[in-house]
Amino acid sequence: DHTGVTAEAVGHSLLSQFIELEYQAQTVPFIDTPEKAAELAGRIRKSMPALIVSTLTDQSIRAKLRDCE
C-alpha cells in the first residue's frame, strides 16, 4: 500500500533491541517512482550515516536508494 507502515514496524522492532542507541526515525511513504527515490537518496546522503528499512519491490526504485551509499 506504499504507506511505510510495515517498514516502520520492522525498523522500530529492530531498533528496540539497542536501548542505548539514539536515533531519529523518519517514515517516508509513497516512494513509488524512481524520481521520488532519487530525491530521497539525496536527502539520505545529507543525513549519513543512515539505516534504511525498506519494503520496496520495484528494482529500479530500489536501485536509486542503493545509490545513496
Side-chain angles (χ1 to χ4, degrees):
D1 63 5
H2 301 287
T3 62
V5 172
T6 300
E8 182 179 40
V10 170
H12 284 293
S13 178
L14 290 170
L15 291 169
S16 72
Q17 305 300 309
F18 304 95
I19 298 168
E20 70 284 351
L21 182 67
E22 292 184 29
Y23 64 92
Q24 178 184 359
Q26 293 185 1
T27 302
V28 185
F30 306 112
I31 302 299
D32 52 6
T33 66
E35 295 78 18
K36 289 180 183 178
E39 187 273 329
L40 178 58
R43 289 175 31 204
I44 293 169
R45 270 192 291 281
K46 293 177 185 174
S47 301
M48 292 301 263
L51 171 67
I52 302 168
V53 179
S54 168
T55 58
L56 292 171
T57 57
D58 184 294
Q59 290 183 10
S60 64
I61 296 173
R62 282 197 325 251
K64 295 296 181 183
L65 287 184
R66 270 190 239 111
D67 288 346
C68 68
E69 296 181 85

